[in-house]
Amino acid sequence: MMLFGCSEERRSRYNRQLQPWSTVAATPVMEQVAGPPLPERIGTYYQTPRPHPWRPTLGYENVEVTPLPTQPVTNALMDPCYTPHGMSTEPLKFPNLVTGFERNPAHAARAALYTRYTPLEWTHGILRTYGESDTNRNYSERLRGEFIRVMRETDEKTAGGQRESGRRLGERITDTTFWRNEVKTELERLLGSAHCLQEGKRMIAKAIADIEGPLHIAQECLYLRENRHGIDLAHDSPEQALLKEVELYRNSQATLKCLGDKVTSQLLNNRAAQHELETDVRSKEGALGIDNMCHQLNNFSKGINYYGGIEKFNPTVSTTTTWAENSNRIVLRSQSERAKSSQMCSDVENMINSLSSEIWDSWSVTNNALARRAAEMLEAKSKIQMHLAKIQQEIFEMEKNIELLRKAILDKSNPMKVAQTRLEARTHRKEVELCRDMAQDRLVKEVLDMQDSIEYLHRKLQEAEAQHQQLLKTRSNLETELHSKVNALFIDREKCMGMRRSFPITATIKY
């Protein structure tokens, strides 16, 4: 029994050496992956004067070993009935070994730490490493060969696809150029036919054109005044005068409609066909520019970029067939209108009625209304500019204060660093010197005071920034209003009055 007790004590001492090192003030290097959690060992055995405390030494744990009497140990070992757990039934004869362990516990700890594997296990581990290296190297060589093959195949496929796309783009450029030339030629013919129609019907066309001039100016003035913004988009006296003027022009044209209906209708049809032709020419020229640019792109062009998902987006609105049919339809319509215009040139009669006085009176009333409105706009513009200058000065002052607040916050950075660095350095004092003295309290109070100051400055900075944003909003509103007034003034005084400085009907009703 004494020998069994000594063996249990020796195994427990070995097991203590195999347990993980203490977790006091340090974390283990590797995490436990299996088995029940190991208990933390709390002790003072690591406090040794040696530079490497993990190496076994007598100072690790003071284990008191009591020598056993020689005779009982010998008798127990020689007893044929005694069979320890995990050992053979033959008598054990190692009294000197027991005595050696008892005499030298450091050797037992060193043996428990360093004798972890057998030479056979070491050899098998080395061979396994060699085999793994050969296997991974062979697999890597096969992968490299496959990579080269895949890269070559993808390069050839990419180059072929790029060549095919370039060829298709070239074909598309040829088709678009052909139809562009056809449409442009038809447009030139249509313009020539319209000119012949106007010359053939000069007498009635001049009367309608003379009235159409003031009508167009009045309508253009109304259209330009629609570009006013905000509250300036008012139904004021100039707009009322323009509406009456337009109504007068249309009523005047009604007397000339009986003979000019067909001419007017035909001119409108010609204009519609011309618009379609011009729109088609512009579209085709834009498409040619884009396709030419795409055709000239290569892998070394500047400006190429990724556009993720663009291949899934289909912006097209027509097919090749409908695209060609649309251009053909436009050309056929233009040809039809040209034929009608040529037919009408021989069926025109002249008849003009004098309406110049009414047109002139309406023209003068509209001009006077526009002049009065421009004067009102100019006065409002001057007042808005005065308020805008004051707001701008206040914004400048507020921005200076914001910068001062930011500088004040930034100036607290270094004192905060100093105070916190002092606090952090004082945490490294040893043992009883780690005292909460007056200096520690003052440093803590200093940090808290600076934090409160910074927080207060931040609140003030937020208030200043909010007010700055409000001033910016007010300035934006004033600028918007000023822009609206300038825009309305420019429309009334420059655009509208600029078109109306001279009366366009100077030689009307002389036939």
Side-chain angles (χ1 to χ4, degrees):
M1 294 299 295
M2 293 180 63
L3 178 60
F4 181 74
C6 180
S7 176
E8 288 293 332
E9 180 182 358
R10 188 164 58 250
R11 282 197 297 270
S12 65
R13 187 172 59 197
Y14 295 160
N15 292 334
R16 284 197 299 270
Q17 296 294 340
L18 293 175
Q19 289 178 359
W21 302 109
S22 173
T23 59
V24 178
T27 56
V29 177
M30 299 180 62
E31 297 182 356
Q32 184 178 357
V33 296
L38 298 176
E40 297 184 355
R41 301 184 62 202
I42 303 176
T44 60
Y45 58 85
Y46 58 87
Q47 299 177 355
T48 73
R50 294 181 59 119
H52 304 291
W54 57 83
R55 294 181 180 176
T57 178
L58 288 176
Y60 267 59
E61 292 185 3
N62 297 323
V63 181
E64 182 178 0
V65 180
T66 303
L68 297 176
T70 305
Q71 185 63 31
V73 171
T74 306
N75 294 337
L77 293 173
M78 298 302 294
D79 189 359
C81 297
Y82 173 71
T83 305
H85 178 71
M87 300 178 63
S88 63
T89 56
E90 296 181 2
L92 300 177
K93 300 179 180 181
F94 45 84
N96 294 333
L97 180 60
V98 174
T99 305
F101 276 102
E102 294 170 354
R103 294 176 181 177
N104 193 0
H107 175 74
R110 190 177 300 110
L113 284 173
Y114 291 143
T115 57
R116 298 179 185 271
Y117 302 101
T118 64
L120 181 59
E121 292 174 342
W122 178 85
T123 303
H124 288 171
I126 292 296
L127 293 177
R128 185 167 55 252
T129 302
Y130 295 161
E132 182 180 357
S133 175
D134 293 337
T135 301
N136 289 334
R137 189 175 63 255
N138 293 334
Y139 182 67
S140 178
E141 290 176 358
R142 290 196 303 272
L143 284 180
R144 283 190 291 107
E146 184 177 356
F147 294 160
I148 293 173
R149 179 183 59 80
V150 170
M151 285 188 291
R152 289 176 179 174
E153 291 179 356
T154 54
D155 289 345
E156 293 175 359
K157 184 177 180 180
T158 302
Q162 199 172 62
R163 287 193 300 270
E164 181 65 18
S165 298
R167 186 176 66 83
R168 295 294 184 181
L169 282 172
E171 295 176 356
R172 183 60 178 175
I173 291 171
T174 302
D175 295 341
T176 307
T177 303
F178 169 77
W179 279 109
R180 191 272 310 270
N181 294 335
E182 289 291 324
V183 174
K184 184 177 290 187
T185 303
E186 182 60 31
L187 176 60
E188 294 175 356
R189 293 173 180 174
L190 180 63
L191 292 175
S193 177
H195 179 69
C196 292
L197 179 63
Q198 291 175 357
E199 289 295 329
K201 303 176 183 180
R202 184 180 61 85
M203 301 303 293
I204 191 167
K206 189 176 187 309
I208 296 176
D210 287 343
I211 297 176
E212 190 68 22
L215 176 60
H216 176 73
I217 290 176
Q219 290 176 340
E220 186 69 16
C221 290
L222 286 173
Y223 175 75
L224 291 174
R225 286 176 62 83
E226 289 296 322
N227 292 328
R228 295 173 297 171
H229 306 299
I231 198 171
D232 292 327
L233 193 63
H235 187 64
D236 49 7
S237 58
E239 186 171 353
Q240 295 174 3
L242 284 170
L243 291 174
K244 291 180 180 179
E245 187 178 353
V246 170
E247 185 180 1
L248 176 61
Y249 294 153
R250 289 176 177 172
N251 292 334
S252 300
Q253 284 181 331
T255 60
L256 303 173
K257 283 286 186 177
C258 55
L259 184 60
D261 285 343
K262 292 183 180 180
V263 176
T264 304
S265 177
Q266 188 58 43
L267 288 174
L268 291 176
N269 291 334
N270 288 350
R271 181 58 184 166
Q274 178 185 347
H275 175 71
E276 286 188 346
L277 290 171
E278 291 174 348
T279 303
D280 199 48
V281 169
R282 286 196 299 268
S283 300
K284 284 180 169 51
E285 287 179 349
L288 278 175
I290 294 173
D291 286 344
N292 282 323
M293 182 272 294
C294 295
H295 190 260
Q296 294 172 4
L297 283 179
N298 55 49
N299 295 334
F300 304 99
S301 299
K302 295 182 180 179
I304 58 177
N305 204 345
Y306 286 108
Y307 298 94
I310 191 64
E311 68 279 358
K312 299 179 181 178
F313 175 66
N314 184 14
T316 58
V317 296
S318 64
T319 62
T320 306
T321 304
T322 57
W323 172 78
E325 289 177 353
N326 179 68
S327 298
N328 189 35
R329 179 187 59 80
I330 294 174
V331 172
L332 291 177
R333 178 184 178 182
S334 176
Q335 292 174 353
S336 176
E337 297 301 331
R338 284 195 298 113
K340 293 179 181 179
S341 299
S342 300
Q343 183 65 32
M344 280 187 181
C345 288
S346 61
D347 299 335
V348 175
E349 294 182 1
N350 298 325
M351 183 179 290
I352 300 173
N353 295 316
S354 177
L355 298 172
S356 59
S357 60
E358 294 183 9
I359 294 175
W360 174 256
D361 293 339
S362 177
W363 182 273
S364 300
V365 169
T366 303
N367 286 350
N368 294 333
L370 285 171
R372 289 193 301 272
R373 187 61 174 171
E376 295 174 359
M377 287 290 177
L378 186 60
E379 182 181 359
K381 170 178 167 292
S382 300
K383 293 182 179 179
I384 291 175
Q385 285 177 336
M386 179 183 64
H387 286 282
L388 183 60
K390 294 179 180 179
I391 287 292
Q392 184 64 35
Q393 180 63 29
E394 184 62 28
I395 290 174
F396 177 72
E397 297 295 336
M398 183 60 70
E399 287 177 350
K400 290 198 301 185
N401 290 337
I402 289 174
E403 292 300 327
L404 290 176
L405 286 173
R406 289 175 178 171
K407 185 178 183 302
I409 294 173
L410 185 61
D411 291 341
K412 302 297 184 297
S413 176
N414 288 334
M416 177 66 77
K417 291 179 182 178
V418 171
Q420 291 183 350
T421 304
R422 287 174 175 175
L423 285 174
E424 195 278 335
R426 286 175 62 84
T427 59
H428 297 281
R429 293 175 293 172
K430 303 295 183 179
E431 298 179 354
V432 74
E433 295 301 328
L434 193 63
C435 174
R436 187 175 183 86
D437 48 9
M438 295 179 65
Q440 183 76 10
D441 294 337
R442 186 64 189 87
L443 287 172
V444 172
K445 187 176 183 303
E446 181 183 359
V447 171
L448 295 177
D449 291 343
M450 280 191 289
Q451 288 176 350
D452 293 340
S453 300
I454 292 173
E455 183 179 358
Y456 183 72
L457 288 174
H458 274 294
R459 289 199 301 268
K460 291 301 179 183
L461 179 61
Q462 290 177 356
E463 293 177 4
E465 289 177 348
Q467 183 60 30
H468 181 257
Q469 292 298 320
Q470 188 64 32
L471 289 173
L472 290 177
K473 182 179 178 181
T474 303
R475 185 184 68 177
S476 177
N477 292 336
L478 288 175
E479 289 176 348
T480 302
E481 192 68 22
L482 179 62
H483 176 72
S484 176
K485 295 294 183 294
V486 170
N487 181 57
L489 184 62
F490 178 74
I491 290 173
D492 289 343
R493 190 170 62 178
E494 300 297 332
K495 290 187 176 181
C496 294
M497 293 296 295
M499 290 187 298
R500 303 175 66 88
R501 283 194 179 96
S502 60
F503 189 63
I505 310 179
T506 59
T508 307
I509 320 301
K510 289 185 179 180
Y511 304 98

